[in-house]
Amino acid sequence: MPPLRIGVLGSGSGSNMQSVLDAIGAGTLNAELRLVLSDVPDAGILDRARRNGVPCAWLDCSPFKTKLDGEAEQRCIATLRKYEVDTVVLAGFMRIVKPALLDAFPQRVLNIHPALLPAFPGLHAWKQALDYGVKITGCTVHFVDAGTDTGPIIVQRSVPVLDGDTPESLHARIQVQEHQAYPEALRLLSEGRLSLEGRRVVTRP
Ligand code: GRF
């Protein structure tokens, strides 16, 4: 199989993007990180991309505040195509992506969510889990569909919620698992081992 040609969209520190880069560097993921785009001009993810020599840019998403739509969405698709991206990795991208992007990369847009979906979709999932009082939470890598955090699940990893956890301590524990889960899901995709049966993702050995 040819390497995945990955484009990352992110808004935050970029630790998940880093885990993908590290897996590529370690030879455990057959992929190239072609491009990083962020809707936040001073996001850490752009600094990390620059430090690692990965092409990157700020994606001005105005006038929208919570979604990637309209002219910005078209610019995003055009830029991803220019860099010959075939797999779009949402890594802490704090905007809803719309059908035009999904249609441009069918079954090739992935997201990571910091909870065991379908529990606690949406924002601050680790805080939702803590406030609810669950004893186990985790992270989910899934294909993106038109809903919010509703797409077919590829990989999940669990973490315990401990007495005395704060939102920060719990999120940090979840992120350790995220940094395993995203490279693992991308590895399965790169090896052509994922197929969709209904909304179930079946992994071939
Ligand atoms: C992760 O916890 C991810 O699950 C959530 O946003 C966070 C991004 O972290 N969607 P980072 O920018 O990859 O460090």
Side-chain angles (χ1 to χ4, degrees):
M1 301 270 296
L4 296 182
R5 300 191 303 264
I6 293 174
V8 172
L9 306 187
S11 312
S13 79
S15 69
N16 279 288
M17 184 275 288
Q18 187 76 54
S19 73
V20 172
L21 259 183
D22 291 348
I24 295 170
T28 56
L29 172 60
N30 183 25
E32 298 164 359
L33 185 43
R34 291 288 180 111
L35 174 69
V36 173
L37 295 174
S38 178
D39 58 328
V40 178
D42 57 353
I45 194 170
L46 292 176
D47 285 335
R48 279 189 203 258
R50 276 183 218 111
R51 284 202 300 273
N52 285 282
V54 178
C56 64
W58 171 48
L59 180 68
D60 181 357
C61 292
S62 56
F64 305 109
K65 292 201 166 13
T66 58
K67 61 182 178 178
L68 174 60
D69 206 350
E71 189 265 334
E73 182 184 47
Q74 291 308 317
R75 253 186 298 116
C76 179
I77 294 168
T79 310
L80 292 166
R81 289 220 165 105
K82 181 173 159 206
Y83 283 81
E84 300 182 326
V85 164
D86 64 13
T87 303
V88 179
V89 167
L90 307 182
F93 189 57
M94 302 304 287
R95 289 174 182 270
I96 308 283
V97 297
K98 309 290 286 182
L101 181 78
L102 301 179
D103 291 348
F105 299 93
Q107 295 305 334
R108 284 285 181 153
V109 183
L110 282 70
N111 182 44
I112 189 156
H113 182 75
L116 293 176
L117 291 170
F120 311 124
L123 291 176
H124 308 303
W126 59 89
K127 186 164 186 308
Q128 293 185 53
L130 196 60
D131 291 347
Y132 193 93
V134 294
K135 301 300 184 193
I136 295 173
T137 185
C139 63
T140 304
V141 182
H142 63 94
F143 287 115
V144 178
D145 66 8
T148 301
D149 301 324
T150 53
I153 291 169
I154 305 169
V155 168
Q156 293 190 300
R157 283 178 166 246
S158 62
V159 304
V161 182
L162 303 180
D163 293 344
D165 257 337
T166 61
E168 293 73 29
S169 66
L170 181 55
H171 188 210
R173 193 175 308 115
I174 292 168
Q175 284 223 288
V176 172
Q177 295 306 315
E178 290 186 333
H179 300 156
Q180 304 294 319
Y182 228 155
E184 183 187 342
L186 289 165
R187 190 178 314 121
L188 294 171
L189 185 67
S190 74
E191 291 170 352
R193 290 168 57 196
L194 301 177
S195 57
L196 213 49
E197 293 180 6
R199 60 157 294 124
R200 285 184 63 209
V201 176
V202 177
T203 304
R204 281 188 295 280

